[in-house]
Amino acid sequence: MKTARPTINDEVAAFKRARTLEAATDLFYEKGYNNSTLDDVAERLGVTKPFIYKNFGNKHMLLATICAQGIQGALGEMEAALAQNAGPAETLRIFVPRYVEAIIAAQKSIAIHIREEKNLLPEDANRLAALRQKFMGQVQGVLEAGKKAGEVDVPDPRISAFAIVGAVSWLTFWFHPEGPLSPEELTERMTAVILNLLRSGGVRLTA
Amino acid sequence: MKTARPTINDEVAAFKRARTLEAATDLFYEKGYNNSTLDDVAERLGVTKPFIYKNFGNKHMLLATICAQGIQGALGEMEAALAQNAGPAETLRIFVPRYVEAIIAAQKSIAIHIREEKNLLPEDANRLAALRQKFMGQVQGVLEAGKKAGEVDVPDPRISAFAIVGAVSWLTFWFHPEGPLSPEELTERMTAVILNLLRSGGVRLTA
């Protein structure tokens, strides 16, 4: 009888799937998509190429799965924060640190997405653009609600949403997890910077 | 007799150099560095390949020149702002709008830099990394001075510098100059968002 509880085989399959994604991400990140083959991925893992086909389809589909990780992580954290049904400032306090962590975790996937965008199939590129648009709308919505409630003081919720997402996402290009700043410290310090940006009642920097 | 005043020939050469850079930037942006040849660049322009060699050296050197444009523009604006010898808040008010404009102008070059980093020669990559480090140090320095003077309220000048640079640089990936928001409007709105983030005397968003 089939139940909802995962069997050991399910768990092994999920583990192998995750490891395959990780190995392909490392490979595409280091060598570039065009210089990598599914044979290379299989070889790094000791799995067979049919295993990869079965789990991820072809190389384009594997790329699309990798490229989706950053935006899926961001959306997941936003939806978890929204599900708490807290006020906008509290939603941001829940969301921002989890979002920074998600971006740190997806650093390589985000870099691959940006570098290899031209290698995505149009339908995959469109699907990812729609997810990104959904996410940006949610961030903007929380800022708008916060502004309305007097909890967040930003001059322009739409551009502020892009500024916050940019401030966090840009870590993809400068943060080295093996450097002097640990992922935990970066999360704490970046969260403080972002939430400081959102404080209410501030006096404008005047001329 | 040779004087400092540019001759018509100098001006024509500078014009052709600028147009070549522009054509190569468009080409590398649209087709990718590895799919572009110097013949393609020459063809787009109606110049000869020897003209390109004479002005930019080989294809790697042309790529390095393109990739340097974003950081050179940013550094140039920071140095112009610092040269005013104003206080830190005033320096930021001078710098931020010019910086946003510089990033909008260098959008394609920045995207090429990020995508094609692996195709840079190590000495070029190192030179660009040094310029970037210099720029980040200057941004951080202005924020530190502003914090000390009580003109800027940021919790962490180093991470705030990365956040501001990220907030602006990320427009590379979402801003379409032919879209509903003009470059002038984006400059104005992004400047307001960034300077708002730096305002002093704000009340922290508290739990």
Side-chain angles (χ1 to χ4, degrees):
Chain A
M1 205 177 85
K2 230 183 162 184
T3 69
R5 178 192 289 263
T7 64
I8 287 202
N9 282 347
D10 289 341
E11 286 179 39
V12 168
F15 174 76
K16 282 169 86 173
R17 216 183 117 90
R19 285 287 299 112
T20 305
L21 217 48
E22 206 178 295
T25 301
D26 286 346
L27 194 71
F28 292 179
Y29 185 76
E30 288 156 24
K31 292 178 59 177
Y33 177 76
N34 286 321
N35 297 323
S36 306
T37 66
L38 290 187
D39 279 319
D40 295 333
V41 179
E43 198 185 311
R44 283 209 174 193
L45 276 174
V47 300
T48 61
K49 217 155 72 166
F51 172 85
I52 299 178
Y53 281 120
K54 197 184 144 219
N55 279 279
F56 296 99
N58 57 28
K59 197 178 153 199
H60 274 113
M61 289 164 79
L62 182 56
L63 178 66
T65 304
I66 290 172
C67 290
Q69 290 190 302
I71 186 60
Q72 277 171 348
L75 261 175
E77 296 305 340
M78 177 52 94
E79 277 163 8
L82 290 171
Q84 305 276 321
N85 282 312
E90 182 61 20
T91 301
L92 288 168
R93 275 193 294 270
I94 298 167
F95 166 67
V96 173
R98 297 292 85 77
Y99 173 50
V100 177
E101 285 172 349
I103 297 303
I104 294 174
Q107 236 184 320
K108 287 181 183 175
S109 312
I110 295 168
I112 292 168
H113 185 186
I114 288 169
R115 289 183 197 153
E116 310 290 355
E117 200 152 23
K118 284 186 205 314
N119 287 311
L120 284 171
L121 298 177
E123 59 265 35
D124 291 323
N126 291 342
R127 192 168 45 83
L128 294 186
L131 290 178
R132 175 150 292 278
Q133 209 169 2
K134 182 179 176 190
F135 175 67
M136 291 309 303
Q138 288 173 331
V139 178
Q140 184 180 337
V142 174
L143 294 178
E144 273 164 359
K147 192 172 174 163
K148 216 167 166 179
E151 292 182 2
V152 169
D153 179 20
V154 290
D156 185 326
R158 182 162 176 264
I159 301 300
S160 295
F162 278 118
I164 292 168
V165 167
V168 176
S169 302
W170 196 249
L171 70 81
T172 304
F173 305 122
W174 64 266
F175 179 61
H176 303 283
E178 67 293 344
L181 199 65
S182 73
E184 293 72 24
E185 282 171 312
L186 175 61
T187 299
E188 199 185 315
R189 292 169 66 174
M190 185 60 88
T191 298
V193 167
I194 301 287
L195 292 183
N196 191 54
L197 307 183
L198 299 173
R199 67 188 174 225
S200 57
V203 175
R204 290 289 171 84
L205 194 75
T206 50
Chain B
M1 204 177 84
K2 228 184 166 186
T3 68
R5 179 192 287 265
T7 65
I8 287 202
N9 282 348
D10 289 342
E11 287 179 39
V12 169
F15 175 76
K16 281 170 87 174
R17 214 182 118 90
R19 284 289 298 113
T20 306
L21 216 49
E22 206 178 295
T25 301
D26 286 345
L27 194 71
F28 292 178
Y29 185 76
E30 289 156 23
K31 292 177 59 178
Y33 177 77
N34 286 320
N35 297 325
S36 306
T37 67
L38 291 187
D39 280 318
D40 296 332
V41 179
E43 199 185 309
R44 282 210 175 191
L45 276 173
V47 300
T48 61
K49 217 155 71 166
F51 172 84
I52 299 179
Y53 281 119
K54 195 182 146 221
N55 279 277
F56 296 98
N58 57 29
K59 198 179 151 197
H60 274 114
M61 289 165 78
L62 182 56
L63 177 65
T65 304
I66 290 171
C67 290
Q69 290 191 301
I71 185 62
Q72 276 172 348
L75 261 175
E77 296 304 342
M78 177 51 93
E79 276 162 8
L82 289 172
Q84 305 275 321
N85 281 312
E90 182 60 20
T91 301
L92 288 168
R93 275 192 295 270
I94 298 167
F95 166 68
V96 172
R98 299 291 86 77
Y99 173 51
V100 176
E101 285 172 350
I103 297 302
I104 293 173
Q107 234 184 323
K108 286 182 185 176
S109 312
I110 296 168
I112 292 168
H113 185 187
I114 288 168
R115 289 182 198 154
E116 310 290 355
E117 200 152 23
K118 285 185 207 309
N119 287 310
L120 284 170
L121 298 178
E123 59 265 35
D124 291 323
N126 290 341
R127 192 169 45 82
L128 295 186
L131 290 178
R132 175 149 292 278
Q133 209 170 359
K134 181 179 175 190
F135 174 67
M136 291 310 303
Q138 287 173 331
V139 178
Q140 185 180 336
V142 175
L143 295 179
E144 273 164 0
K147 193 172 171 161
K148 217 167 165 179
E151 291 183 5
V152 169
D153 180 20
V154 290
D156 185 326
R158 181 161 177 265
I159 300 301
S160 294
F162 278 118
I164 291 167
V165 167
V168 176
S169 302
W170 196 250
L171 69 82
T172 304
F173 305 120
W174 65 265
F175 179 61
H176 302 284
E178 67 292 345
L181 198 65
S182 72
E184 293 72 24
E185 282 171 312
L186 175 60
T187 299
E188 198 185 314
R189 293 169 66 173
M190 184 60 87
T191 298
V193 167
I194 300 289
L195 292 182
N196 190 53
L197 307 185
L198 299 173
R199 69 190 171 222
S200 57
V203 175
R204 292 286 172 84
L205 193 74
T206 49

